[in-house]
Amino acid sequence: MARLLTLLLLTSLAASAAAAGDPHSYADPSQFLVRHVALDLRADFTAHRLEGTAELSVERIDPAARELYLDTRDLEVRSVQRLDADGRVHNLDFLLDARDAVLGSRLTIELAPRENEPKLQHLRIGYRMSPEASALQWLEPAQTSGPHPYLYSQGQAINARSWIPLQDTPSVRVTYSARIRTPPELVAVMSAARADPTVLPPGEFRFEMRQPIPSYLIALAIGDLKFQSLGDRVGVWTEPSQLAAAAQEFADLPRMLEAGEKLLGPYRWDRYDLLIMPHSFAFGGMENPRLSFISPSVVAGDRSLVAVIVHELAHSWSGNLVTSATWNDFWLNEGFTTYFERRLMEALYGKRRADMEDAIAYESLVEAIDDAKAAGLPGDTSLRLNLAGRDPNEGISDVAYEKGRWFLGFLEGRFGRLAFDAFLRGYFDSHAFMSADTATFRSYLLAELARPGAPKIPVAEIDEWLYGTGMPVTTPAIPSGVFDVVDRAAAEWRAGRLAANQLPVRDWLPQEWVRFLDSQPAELADAKLAELRTQFHLGADGNAEIARSWLALVVRTAYEPAYPDLERFLLSTGRYKLVVGLYRDLARTETGLELGRAIYAKARPGYHTTIRQAVERLLQPVTSAGRDAGRCGSPATLRHGPSDECPQSHSRRG
Ligand code: BES
Ligand code: ZN
């Protein structure tokens, strides 16, 4: 009974959350819900456009609603038609609003109620997308590992609207199908089940995603792709020249999936494959369902960076099965996933390894909190954010990931691991294929805490985690001892009691290198840096995390001899965590800022829009008019063309 009540309460809470609205979408899910999207798109690699139709199956929720609002950004909408069951086609009136810099353009479709209207109405939208579509990155052959071009999409957070007109809010879930036509020598993959291509004409691919997912998880990649199986349910896709290395690196995938199911319950997406991307891919990994997109920087040669895979796999539950209802609740996706990532790393590779990841990440959390406070944005250190009017990508920070992770660590401590695992299983089972916001999770937690035998946790302690700034007083002890040996060696070396060639590095894991480099101060002498650089061949190559930590030290100490390596690194990878962190470090000083701008001018064409926007936010001059001044077209913005966020409004009636 109590469970039933909780469920009822939850359903009404989830509904009210959606009605209360997602500040990053024009959709009104209380009027209409898009239930299914059928895409029919052709990829033009010369014009850098996808063109075709999206057929939406729309359910009326409010009997009186007259207009359907969809999200779009930079789409050229040609026609909107209603397809009736008798085969008749009706043109519908539509209006594309002027472009909002963050949200894009609202598409309004006339859809007044009709007598005996079917439960689902089918609307076909004819359109093509801009070569600048924010979701898409078109790569020239030179940017791939072979002689072919490449295209991929990145939907999260609000980019799906730049390639599909839909309700682009994570509070709405859709199933989807697609027909994709490519040049005949290329292969298309999507976050969906793939029809056997051998029964289709060359260059045609068909997909079907039967489980309802939020719009940001609809994903496409096209390139010269090959597949290698790694087990019954798992495998890896990549460009042919990378396939053997990738298969070798991710041989643990079957074990990872089993560990995930053991902790979190059945895997509900049938297959789990990886797509290893070209170097400009914007993220370490992106949890597109059935097919995580993975940065090639994770292929380290020694399986040392597989935490990214474990992380994306964990999103199959936290994020993809139960989804943050708005980007203000992003921590529900990433905090849970980071917690599961560490639990799975512990189960698969031992506690020491998980502790290392925790300790490194905690340092970076402390820095992120300090930075946000210094920037006058203390609200950004809360788990629950308020990003209305801002780009939701501004919510990407260690706060969502690591503060979220430690909130769950705090709860685990109070419940005890066994009871907490049961709590989590219950939460994921009862919310499967639903979206939840912070309030939903909070009331589920409070209801569970009210049960007999549950631990007593004061609500104020929970709310301090969810809504308070900085780290709560109830933060658990962070594992610190794992790096004692490294820290001692680092101190001895700094004090000159140990030469670089006497450091005990023989068995160091990349994580120990990262700690060693991250712990060096800004005052380190050039001679010391030179000693490290020569002794250990530190530069732009090799393990990407070690290179990042080394180059962060180079920036921190303004060690000019290594600037060419910094530039090479920033030109050769497009991954958020590697790139944005270094530009942030550069932006801390005037000379760094200048160097950052010079490098960025060269690197920009190789970065995905999400990365461009994040870097431009960091490199733009702060003026007395506030941190957003100079964003659109003013002479103060960067030298190379207008920012992607600047409006070019157009509107028309069909
Ligand atoms: N879902 C994120 C990537 C993302 C976040 C894309 C926000 C767009 C907006 C993904 O799961 C992620 O967290 N990637 C991390 C990996 C990591 C923390 C192990 C990354 O890219 O580094
Ligand atoms: Zn994630």
Side-chain angles (χ1 to χ4, degrees), residues 154-157 159 216 281-287 307-309 311-312 315 327 330 333-334 337-338 341-342 392-393 395-396 401-402 545 575-578 610:
Q154 166 60 38
Q156 196 178 9
N159 296 318
Y216 73 90
F281 181 54
F283 294 94
M286 176 65 215
E287 65 269 27
V308 174
I309 309 297
H311 177 97
E312 304 314 330
H315 272 304
W327 299 115
F330 179 58
N333 277 6
E334 297 301 344
T337 299
T338 304
E341 173 200 322
R342 303 285 150 70
N393 287 342
I396 309 178
Y401 288 82
E402 301 299 333
E545 298 283 351
R575 178 180 166 190
Y576 193 100
K577 182 179 160 193
L578 304 177
T610 306

Side-chain angles (χ1 to χ4, degrees), residues 368-369 372-373 375-387 390 394-395 397-400 403 468-470 627:
I369 290 178
K373 289 188 171 161
L377 294 166
D380 287 4
T381 70
S382 294
L383 287 180
R384 156 79 201 193
L385 298 171
N386 184 4
L387 295 168
R390 293 167 65 191
E394 292 187 41
S397 95
D398 286 310
V399 172
K403 185 176 176 181
T469 58
R627 61 190 287 283

